[in-house]
Amino acid sequence: MEKAADTRQSIIDAVLRIIGQDGIAAVSNRRIAREARVSLGSVTYHFATQHELLRESLLYFVGEETRRFTEMADACTGDRLDLQGAADAVGLVAGGTEFDSRRIAPFELYIQAGRDERLRAAAAECFAAYDRLATRILRGLGLPDAERLASTAVALVFGQQLRRLATGSPAEDLVDTLLVLTQPAPR
């Protein structure tokens, strides 16, 4: 049974790599088998349809991201969070300095969820985890209406991440942008 779980995970990892490298259109059972180093029959045994492959890959990513962001939110405890703590959390969200295929794949999957309503529940679950972390950080910084502002902060992070992806701008730009927005307006 463990071997089957390992094979299934290898397939999901391969799907995420392929999507990140060449997009969803590049996902084929033959390429997955080659990337995962499993037989072609293993791919079709574990995943009956292309939709199931995409859905399970997105769900796996969502599970990992939800766990990661929940741990980060739990680390943002206490009544107040200083700007350096917020900057550190945002830096972790930014994911370092480089985009690899596993960081690009989710953007492709989210776009696919816009085309395929069967993937939307999984995407919504991931965004809910992002919103929880944003709420915790904003609340820790003492911003009023943290829950209301969280989805806007998440949208800003995603927009900045797409900008980084498209232009190669550094992660520090995202941190700087968010820190500027959390400062009180001059009077």
Side-chain angles (χ1 to χ4, degrees):
M1 193 64 137
E2 190 172 313
K3 174 95 169 105
D6 290 345
T7 299
R8 188 175 176 84
Q9 187 60 51
S10 293
I11 293 168
I12 288 172
D13 290 340
V15 168
L16 291 172
R17 274 192 312 275
I18 293 165
I19 291 170
Q21 291 166 355
D22 297 316
I24 288 176
V27 175
S28 70
N29 287 354
R30 288 190 192 288
R31 181 153 178 207
I32 294 165
R34 190 172 52 249
E35 287 270 338
R37 295 188 171 120
V38 300
S39 70
L40 183 58
S42 290
V43 175
T44 56
Y45 172 79
H46 287 283
F47 300 97
T49 65
Q50 196 80 352
H51 168 73
E52 186 182 351
L53 266 168
L54 294 176
R55 183 179 175 282
E56 290 301 314
S57 296
L58 180 58
L59 286 173
Y60 172 75
F61 173 79
V62 165
E64 290 297 301
E65 285 289 271
T66 300
R67 181 190 53 74
R68 183 172 149 240
F69 282 90
T70 299
E71 288 172 3
M72 290 172 64
D74 290 345
C76 296
T77 57
D79 292 335
R80 295 291 290 173
L81 182 67
D82 65 4
L83 281 177
Q84 186 57 52
D88 292 345
V90 170
L92 288 172
V93 169
T97 58
E98 296 298 319
F99 272 101
D100 63 7
S101 62
R102 289 184 61 87
R103 289 285 174 233
I104 295 170
F107 289 101
E108 292 272 351
L109 287 166
Y110 293 140
I111 290 168
Q112 187 64 24
R115 294 182 186 111
D116 184 346
E117 67 184 45
R118 298 171 295 177
L119 296 174
R120 289 185 186 152
E125 184 181 327
C126 201
F127 277 98
Y130 300 148
D131 289 350
R132 284 191 298 275
L133 175 60
T135 298
R136 187 75 60 94
I137 291 170
L138 294 172
R139 192 180 293 138
L141 288 171
L143 282 133
D145 298 326
E147 289 87 7
R148 186 177 63 80
L149 296 173
S151 65
T152 302
V154 168
L156 175 63
V157 169
F158 266 79
Q160 282 293 103
Q161 289 288 72
L162 282 172
R163 183 182 186 123
R164 279 187 59 217
L165 176 62
T167 65
S169 64
E172 292 77 24
D173 288 357
L174 171 60
V175 174
D176 291 345
T177 299
L178 288 174
L179 290 178
V180 165
L181 291 174
T182 61
Q183 298 299 309
R187 295 187 188 254

